[in-house]
Amino acid sequence: MSRTILVLADLRNGAVRNVTFEMLSTAKKLANGGAVIASIISNNSGSIKAEELAHHGADKVLVADSAALENYVPDAYASVLETMIKDVNPNLVLMAHSAIGRDLAPKVAARFGAGQVSDIIDVTEEGGNLVFTRPIYAGKAFTKNTVAGDLVLATVRPNNLPAGEADASRSAEVVNVSVDLPADSLRTFIKEVVKKSTGGVDLSEAKVIVSGGRGVKSEEGFKPLYELAEVLGAAVGASRGACDAGYCDYALQIGQTGKVVTPDLYFAVGISGAIQHLAGMSNSKVIVAINKDPEAPIFKVADYGIVGDLFDIVPILVEELKKVVA
Ligand code: FAD
């Protein structure tokens, strides 16, 4: 069965995030000859290369560009996406399981009375139906769901679907979508955006993450972790224990009430491994735990465990890795 699939591009500072390519590639496979349509909602669409979206599977790119779309305003984005859905009549809408996607998908699904499934890590076709896989019980189990109806909206966890090879011979038609957002249709306004710096590497898309817990003991104690992250080109994350203790910003928190990450390599340093932390990182491909308590629960999910004082071990790792990482 052929399908029309609409993929909302996930944008950060005018750049397309990798999860967009992961969604497009998957959409291409599921479309079965139907159309894959990328959607850009932005105030700065000029910085986005439509051909990059085409190379990963988009046949058409819808662009809604307006100063009113500079920041995520729920009513504005929902209204634009609703217009796009009415225009192209997709069977499936994919968007990132980001702060925006988590808010936008159910809002727009409700407008259409459509089905919605959150935080998927896979979608396949079985017997003509789309089957969505999502983690439950803090990542300890997975459910496979089918969703009734002609339209389904799904949010996709980054770093799980394959992004596939880019095909530079592909191109896409670019269609501008007019944006009509009367002020009285918007119930919320952004008055100010305060940006927090969390280092160079985007945590939710990082391939390697070095996370610290209460075991680092202070803000100063995070320094060796930042050095390790620098050698590995990694992002720095944290447990809620470390955030609550004021050692780092809450923007770094990983877990049930923080960010959900799926890197290739995750270092849990001075983190006990509470279930709420595991909910955010247990699907990492390789987990390395450093903890002075050999009974710490983190060792149950770790692929490699180092028992010892992190302040001895992390500097040794940094020195040794400097020798092998160019
Ligand atoms: P601790 O549990 O105190 O562990 C510190 C670890 O460091 C210990 O294992 C200790 O052996 C080790 N250590 C100490 N010194 C050293 C050293 N020198 N060298 C090596 N190891 C050392 N937590 C999250 O992380 N993310 C969430 O999103 C989250 N959401 C929550 C939501 C709810 C509703 C609730 C109730 C809790 C949530 N928590 C969350 C909190 C969670 O239950 C734990 O309290 C928290 O994860 C503990 O953080 P921690 O492992 O850093 O600290």
Side-chain angles (χ1 to χ4, degrees):
M1 174 191 157
S2 79
R3 305 183 172 82
T4 301
I5 303 180
L6 183 65
V7 174
L8 177 64
D10 196 51
L11 309 173
R12 174 77 55 93
N13 300 330
V16 177
R17 298 174 85 208
N18 201 45
V19 63
T20 309
F21 305 131
E22 295 166 2
M23 294 189 288
L24 285 170
S25 237
T26 300
K28 187 83 202 133
K29 274 189 228 143
L30 298 172
N32 280 340
V36 174
I37 302 165
S39 143
I40 292 174
I41 303 180
S42 167
N43 71 322
N44 182 24
S45 62
S47 67
I48 297 155
K49 297 185 186 77
E51 64 266 26
E52 225 185 348
L53 303 172
H55 295 170
H56 283 87
D59 302 304
K60 193 193 260 194
V61 180
L62 303 181
V63 181
D65 191 321
S66 160
L69 301 170
E70 178 181 2
N71 295 306
Y72 176 65
V73 174
D75 289 331
Y77 273 54
S79 164
V80 171
L81 189 58
E82 182 183 351
T83 304
M84 288 177 170
I85 291 174
K86 284 180 178 158
D87 281 355
V88 300
N89 199 19
N91 308 97
L92 173 65
V93 179
L94 295 174
M95 64 185 82
H97 191 68
S98 58
I100 291 178
R102 289 178 200 205
D103 187 65
L104 188 60
K107 190 182 288 292
V108 175
R111 292 187 180 195
F112 287 92
Q116 195 255 313
V117 54
S118 289
D119 196 18
I120 64 161
I121 57 166
D122 197 12
V123 47
T124 51
E125 186 182 315
E126 288 172 28
N129 292 317
L130 291 179
V131 179
F132 300 91
T133 305
R134 54 188 301 271
I136 54 167
Y137 302 132
K140 282 192 183 310
F142 300 92
T143 54
K144 287 182 178 253
N145 308 268
T146 52
V147 184
D150 298 331
L151 171 64
V152 181
L153 287 88
T155 63
V156 177
R157 189 184 283 199
N159 278 346
N160 281 276
L161 301 175
E165 290 292 307
D167 175 356
S169 68
R170 299 190 86 258
S171 59
E173 178 194 3
V174 177
V175 178
N176 291 314
V177 174
S178 68
V179 177
D180 180 23
L181 296 170
D184 60 2
S185 70
L186 306 179
R187 292 168 295 176
T188 46
F189 297 90
I190 306 292
K191 291 181 104 172
E192 189 189 1
V193 177
V194 180
K195 288 193 176 155
K196 288 184 177 172
S197 169
T198 57
V201 185
D202 180 354
L203 195 52
S204 51
E205 294 220 314
K207 296 286 178 203
V208 184
I209 294 175
V210 178
S211 267
R214 208 160 6 216
V216 301
K217 294 192 175 61
S218 65
E219 191 177 350
E220 185 75 10
F222 259 91
K223 271 196 177 157
L225 278 65
Y226 275 99
E227 284 168 22
L228 180 57
E230 195 176 332
V231 181
L232 294 169
V236 173
S239 71
R240 179 157 144 189
C243 300
D244 282 347
Y247 305 160
C248 59
D249 195 281
Y250 279 102
L252 301 192
Q253 185 183 320
I254 289 169
Q256 185 182 316
T257 43
K259 292 196 170 72
V260 175
V261 296
T262 321
D264 292 339
L265 179 58
Y266 187 89
F267 284 87
V269 185
I271 293 177
S272 58
I275 181 98
Q276 295 89 354
H277 187 75
L278 301 187
M281 47 61 75
S282 62
N283 290 326
S284 303
K285 294 187 182 74
V286 176
I287 298 170
V288 179
I290 303 171
N291 199 302
K292 67 179 184 184
D293 174 6
E295 302 298 325
I298 192 72
F299 287 123
K300 293 204 174 95
V301 297
D303 299 280
Y304 299 94
I306 304 174
V307 178
D309 191 316
L310 71 93
F311 296 105
D312 296 332
I313 292 160
V314 175
I316 296 171
L317 274 178
V318 171
E319 283 318 304
E320 292 302 314
L321 284 166
K322 273 184 183 163
K323 293 178 194 162
V324 290
V325 179

